[in-house]
Amino acid sequence: MDKQLLSDLIAFTGIETQFTDAWGNQSEVAEKNLLTLLAAQGFAVDNDALAREQLLERQQDHWEQLLDPVSVQKAGQDTQIELKLPIVLANTPLELVLTTEQGKTHRFTVTATEDADLNQVMVFDGEEYQQYQWTLPVLLEQGYHSLSLTIGELDFVQSLIITPSACFQPAEFKKQKQWGVSVQLYCVRSEQNWGIGDFADLRFLLGHLAKQGADFVGLNPIHALYPAMPESASPYSPSSRRWLNIIYLAVPEMLGFDQCQQVKQLVNAPGFKQQLDAARAAEWVDYTAVTRLKLPVLKALYQWFTEHQAEHAELAQAFSVFKQQSGESLLQLALYDAIHAHLIQKDMHAWGWPVWPEAWQRPDSDEVLAFAKEHAHELDFYCYLQFIAREQLAKAQAFAKEQGMLLGLYRDLAVGVSEASTEIWGNPELYCRGASVGAPPDILGPKGQNWGLPPMLPYQMFQQAYRPMIDLFRANMQNSGALRIDHVMALLRLWWVPKGAESAGDGAYIYYPIQDLLGILALESQRHQVVVIGEDLGTVPDGIREILAEYGMYSYRVFFFEKAEDGGYVSPSHYPVQAMATLTTHDMPTLIGYWHCGDLNLGKEVGLYQEHQLPALFQSRHEDKQKILNSLHGHQMLDPNFSHSVDQVGMSTELSYAIQRHVAKGSSQLLCLQLEDWMEMTQPVNIPGTSNEYPNWRRKLSMTLEQLAQQQNVNQLLQDLTRLRRS
């Protein structure tokens, strides 16, 4: 391809041609990777003339919009309006109408050459376009406003978003430091659940930890997955990030459970208790078994509800309001789940809309609309499950706050959705299906990672006025005190891996409008009073942490990754205050797994490491453990008689608690630990870079919540954590 054309295409699509890798080395993106990513975005890379024409068409489309679809600006500053005008309109008085979110209307007459400043000129097919900047003579409050301009029969509307300068931070943060625990809800065992953790378990855990002084419980993503395909269980490959995973419903707590005769027949049937006991006793979560237990009962409870609405008018009214406020997005999810259930019964390979018959691949096709009309009751059933899931989650958060927790729940926003998702089915223009989100080789993934998540197209996000991102932030801030954004660098850039690439390393970074996205995030954070935590691990570009900190976001500091230049471990007392400190994550081994090199041995078994790599990895781990031991002794976190040599030290309760207390004494505002380490578990819940090689997202906790609550040594540790955080 012509070098200048290639350069223009790269600039237009936001591809980064060079980057610094996780080890600090400068890397150049191969030209073949650049071309593949351009092709994935629809450019004819094998035909220069056509590619040039396509680029000009897209540029001209942009210039023919007199008002951009969206403009994000900070409150307290002059609001600048950009007008892109064909030269024939430059001297024409234009009427602009501003409608504020508060309902006020302002009208302005603007003549560009007299009232605004010319700042750019472009020419397409001999026609000149001029861009002017005009200062809005109104000081706008924070919020979502609308600016419109009509020229003849053409209407141009801009979403004018005025944002705060930073995310929400509670006043209580100035008084003391907080701590909590992260949990994968599906892993939870209890005496009551149906083989998988549920919202009732969550409430039990919140109550127990609140008594010990904890401030929050963090959750892995609880996004909607696939009821018709329960083994597609990764919380990070959801169907919709706006809705909840209905498998977490606490069925016995639902209205009608004790009254519905059909439910009694189902749960008292000879085989039901046997299946329920088996699901509870299983070492790994059996998603299929749990779904088979829950779904028939859920359908019976919905049917009971429809027949007894008059007796429960308040709940029926709340459900009606929920559906009305949720709009098209909820109906689309319900429609997708209903169609999926029908098609997969006929063909077990109908894993998602990309392989469905063509007529079913669009939510607005005649066949799909006819299905929706014919199966309205079934769609309403799926809407009801989302309604109850939200109610149960809200109940858990309200309970946490009643028990004195400052934050209560903190939720987790996944970086994307799977190719089979409801979100892509309903909005295919927003996504690039010829590529996948992932990561270049780094410490967590030596071969790089391909997550199988089609990325959003930055230009389409802009054209849709960032509505999908606003909806995402808003939905995930409901019923929570904090939001963790997985792979927060996605607000700046995402590693795109072309479909069919030989390895995850054969990709490139593509940039996103970070200032706009951070502004919207700050606005929603302030409105929902939600703290924002950015998972900033992996390959972090220079300056990004500073930008995130300016916006009031909390960094994510993992003890094992916080090393000084001399190779020793940074004292937690030197961690940034505006951060969440943690020992391990769902992508890492447990404390015992780390200390006994279980992750390296597992990595060898599943093919993550080659034989020649292992000696150096084991040696490095041995040296790191010695440095950790040295640091613990240096900070007087261990008895002086405790061995100083790692050759004589295995992971023990004493050592585990010493590490946890060590990090608890640190300076970071937030501390997050894991239930697995209190239960002294060895196996990880997930091995990054694997799919079928290891049963990811299925390993259960080794104790029930009821057993955990009775562990006096653990309870003493938790009280110690509270004391250390308060001092």
Side-chain angles (χ1 to χ4, degrees), residues 106-131:
H106 303 270
R107 297 180 183 274
F108 311 97
T109 300
V110 179
T111 303
T113 54
E114 298 175 7
D115 304 318
D117 298 320
L118 178 67
N119 60 15
Q120 196 173 356
V121 175
M122 288 288 286
V123 177
F124 296 101
D125 295 330
E127 184 172 6
E128 182 175 316
Y129 291 80
Q130 298 180 339
Q131 180 171 285

Side-chain angles (χ1 to χ4, degrees), residues 329-630:
S329 174
L330 175 64
L331 288 174
Q332 196 169 277
L333 175 75
L335 180 56
Y336 188 94
D337 286 346
I339 291 174
H340 199 185
H342 278 257
L343 293 181
I344 212 161
Q345 284 177 359
K346 301 174 184 176
D347 178 5
M348 63 179 292
H349 300 294
W351 51 266
W353 71 268
V355 296
W356 292 354
E358 187 175 351
W360 299 89
Q361 292 185 9
R362 294 187 358 258
D364 59 353
S365 73
D366 291 342
E367 287 82 356
V368 169
L369 294 176
F371 179 93
K373 188 174 182 180
E374 185 181 346
H375 296 84
H377 190 69
E378 189 175 354
L379 268 59
D380 201 56
F381 162 66
Y382 285 108
C383 291
Y384 183 67
L385 297 190
Q386 287 296 327
F387 169 65
I388 297 300
R390 191 195 68 170
E391 293 290 297
Q392 290 192 353
L393 184 66
K395 186 178 179 181
Q397 174 66 358
F399 178 72
K401 302 292 276 187
E402 288 167 8
Q403 299 303 304
M405 282 188 161
L406 174 61
L407 300 176
L409 296 175
Y410 98 67
R411 293 177 61 180
D412 195 351
L413 177 61
V415 73
V417 290
S418 78
E419 188 176 9
S421 67
T422 307
E423 287 186 18
I424 300 180
W425 183 61
N427 193 357
E429 296 83 9
L430 181 59
Y431 295 86
C432 178
R433 292 180 58 215
S436 168
V437 175
D442 61 22
I443 297 164
L444 281 179
K447 292 183 176 181
Q449 297 177 51
N450 184 340
W451 302 326
L453 312 172
M456 289 185 184
L457 290 156
Y459 186 62
Q460 277 297 326
M461 285 173 58
F462 180 74
Q463 287 298 314
Q464 296 186 25
Y466 301 130
R467 191 76 235 173
M469 298 305 297
I470 296 167
D471 291 341
L472 276 183
F473 295 150
R474 196 169 284 172
N476 285 275
M477 288 180 183
Q478 285 186 351
N479 302 311
S480 64
L483 177 66
R484 173 189 179 273
I485 299 184
D486 187 51
H487 196 66
V488 73
M489 279 82 73
L491 299 176
L492 170 70
R493 65 181 190 179
L494 273 175
W495 183 259
W496 286 28
V497 182
K499 236 180 187 177
E502 291 183 11
S503 79
D506 292 338
Y509 281 110
I510 288 187
Y511 275 84
Y512 288 77
I514 185 171
Q515 295 291 347
D516 286 1
L517 296 176
L518 284 174
I520 293 167
L521 182 64
L523 177 57
E524 292 300 325
S525 166
Q526 292 286 357
R527 289 192 164 186
H528 288 86
Q529 301 283 279
V530 165
V531 175
V532 181
I533 301 147
E535 188 264 291
D536 50 359
L537 306 178
T539 307
V540 182
D542 291 340
I544 183 65
R545 278 179 163 163
E546 289 76 10
I547 293 172
L548 299 178
E550 284 176 16
Y551 272 86
M553 195 179 298
Y554 284 74
S555 182
Y556 201 67
R557 298 304 170 103
V558 179
F559 173 75
F560 294 114
F561 296 161
E562 292 299 308
K563 292 186 178 181
E565 290 185 9
D566 64 1
Y569 280 82
V570 174
S571 169
S573 63
H574 295 151
Y575 289 2
V577 172
Q578 195 171 306
M580 172 180 278
T582 186
L583 287 172
T584 61
T585 75
H586 61 266
D587 283 333
M588 294 175 63
T590 63
L591 280 180
I592 292 179
Y594 174 89
W595 202 264
H596 294 165
C597 302
D599 57 320
L600 300 182
N601 289 316
L602 265 176
K604 176 184 175 183
E605 287 177 27
V606 302
L608 278 184
Y609 306 115
Q610 297 174 1
E611 196 69 41
H612 71 274
Q613 296 175 300
L614 286 166
L617 291 171
F618 279 109
Q619 180 59 33
S620 176
R621 179 64 56 81
H622 187 271
E623 293 169 359
D624 286 346
K625 285 157 53 178
Q626 184 61 62
K627 290 169 184 172
I628 291 169
L629 203 55
N630 294 344

Side-chain angles (χ1 to χ4, degrees), residues 51-63:
R52 187 174 286 109
E53 185 180 329
Q54 290 173 321
L55 176 59
L56 284 172
E57 283 178 1
R58 297 192 191 193
Q59 290 172 329
Q60 189 168 354
D61 284 345
H62 173 69
W63 277 87

